[in-house]
Amino acid sequence: MPHKRAKASVRKARQKEKDMPVSKDDAKIEDTPKGFSRLLRFKEMAIKRQQEKKEAKKNTDALTTKKNISIQPGERMKDFVQRVESEFQSDMIEAQKKSKPTSDRKKRNQETRKQKRAAKLQKELDLYGGRDFDDLKDNVKFGEVADAPPVLNKIPKARGRGKEMLEQKNKKALSIPDTTAKTAVLKKANGYESEEDENMKALKASHKRKIQNMSAAARIQLDNEREKVIEAYRAKKAKKMNDSVFN
């Protein structure tokens, strides 16, 4: 039976064989798992295929370099023409493609693509004035915290459509005969107002309307909350100033 234990004599003989030194005959016995040996065979076959492909490529390159266009002795003209056509078929196809002129439809498609690219570039120039915000850099130190929004001392430069709008406002201001009204319009037109500024104005107006429609108790509560926030901000700013002075 397969599950039956071997005799003591057999077990002793096996143990002696294990303790014996390795001989040349033992090298022939394979103890590697079947899966691992299969993987090794696959790898060897893949390497062999790669080498065969390389050799075949070398042979084809050598044949192409040694192509003989001249007619062989005893070769008929018909056989010679067939041989040349079969050998140089790929070269002939490439030459035909290169010599073939481009069709009108292809030319039109190329022109339309060029025009679309040019129109896209022109649109970007009109919108942004040829510049994006890639040239702007913000040097922030590690651990630096912004406690308040930045103070803008300069009006942003008008570019693109904003510049056109600004020029139109200035022209309108110059056309006004009254000097006081002209100066007022010019002062107003000197800045650059974008769509975001207009949206912010609309938002502020809506907030004002909401405050006007609020009850007295709600207004008092809102004012108290605003005062608390302002006091907390001032205390934080004073603490920061004191720390910077002592440090």
Side-chain angles (χ1 to χ4, degrees):
M1 294 176 74
H3 62 274
K4 192 176 179 181
R5 193 180 182 190
K7 291 180 181 179
S9 59
V10 176
R11 283 189 274 117
K12 283 180 183 178
R14 286 177 184 171
Q15 191 67 32
K16 284 179 182 178
E17 286 177 2
K18 284 181 181 177
D19 294 336
M20 291 291 286
V22 180
S23 61
K24 290 181 180 179
D25 297 331
D26 294 336
K28 295 177 183 177
I29 300 165
E30 291 186 0
D31 292 334
T32 54
K34 287 184 180 179
F36 185 67
S37 60
R38 198 181 295 117
L39 287 171
L40 287 173
R41 282 200 301 275
F42 284 150
K43 191 176 180 182
E44 288 173 1
M45 286 166 68
I47 292 165
K48 194 176 180 181
R49 280 198 214 97
Q50 285 179 359
Q51 288 176 354
E52 286 175 357
K53 282 181 182 178
K54 284 180 182 178
E55 287 176 1
K57 194 176 180 182
K58 284 180 183 177
N59 293 331
T60 51
D61 292 340
L63 285 169
T64 51
T65 52
K66 292 179 181 179
K67 277 180 182 177
N68 191 10
I69 304 172
S70 60
I71 191 166
Q72 299 295 325
E75 189 179 16
R76 292 185 300 174
M77 183 58 70
K78 187 179 178 181
D79 298 335
F80 170 67
V81 171
Q82 284 180 356
R83 181 168 63 83
V84 170
E85 284 180 356
S86 62
E87 285 181 0
F88 294 94
Q89 190 175 8
S90 59
D91 298 334
M92 288 168 70
I93 290 165
E94 286 180 5
Q96 283 176 1
K97 282 182 180 178
K98 287 179 182 177
S99 62
K100 191 177 179 181
T102 53
S103 61
D104 296 334
R105 186 180 176 184
K106 201 170 185 180
K107 285 180 182 177
R108 284 198 301 272
N109 291 336
Q110 288 175 357
E111 286 293 326
T112 50
R113 280 198 289 271
K114 282 181 184 177
Q115 288 173 4
K116 281 181 181 178
R117 281 197 292 269
K120 192 177 180 182
L121 289 170
Q122 189 62 38
K123 191 177 180 182
E124 288 178 359
L125 284 169
D126 293 339
L127 277 171
Y128 307 112
R131 288 184 68 188
D132 206 345
F133 296 103
D134 298 333
D135 55 340
L136 299 176
K137 289 183 180 179
D138 190 11
N139 298 320
V140 182
K141 294 178 182 178
F142 180 75
E144 190 176 353
V145 180
D147 295 325
V151 179
L152 301 174
N153 298 323
K154 287 186 178 180
I155 298 166
K157 188 179 178 182
R159 293 185 290 191
R161 287 184 183 174
K163 193 175 181 181
E164 292 175 4
M165 289 165 65
L166 194 63
E167 287 173 357
Q168 287 175 4
K169 285 181 182 179
N170 289 333
K171 283 179 183 177
K172 283 181 183 178
L174 290 168
S175 63
I176 296 167
D178 190 8
T179 54
T180 55
K182 188 187 284 186
T183 51
V185 173
L186 279 169
K187 280 181 182 178
K188 194 177 179 182
N190 278 335
Y192 169 61
E193 291 184 1
S194 63
E195 292 179 2
E196 292 179 2
D197 297 334
E198 292 173 2
N199 294 334
M200 187 58 71
K201 284 179 182 178
L203 189 67
K204 284 180 180 178
S206 66
H207 286 170
K208 281 182 181 178
R209 284 196 296 273
K210 282 180 184 177
I211 290 165
Q212 287 172 1
N213 295 329
M214 286 170 73
S215 62
R219 282 185 193 176
I220 291 164
Q221 189 178 358
L222 189 67
D223 291 337
N224 292 334
E225 287 177 1
R226 190 185 291 114
E227 289 295 329
K228 283 179 184 177
V229 171
I230 291 166
E231 285 175 5
Y233 171 70
R234 284 175 180 167
K236 194 173 183 181
K237 191 173 181 181
K239 187 182 177 183
K240 189 178 178 183
M241 293 291 287
N242 291 329
D243 293 341
S244 62
V245 168
F246 287 118
N247 291 331

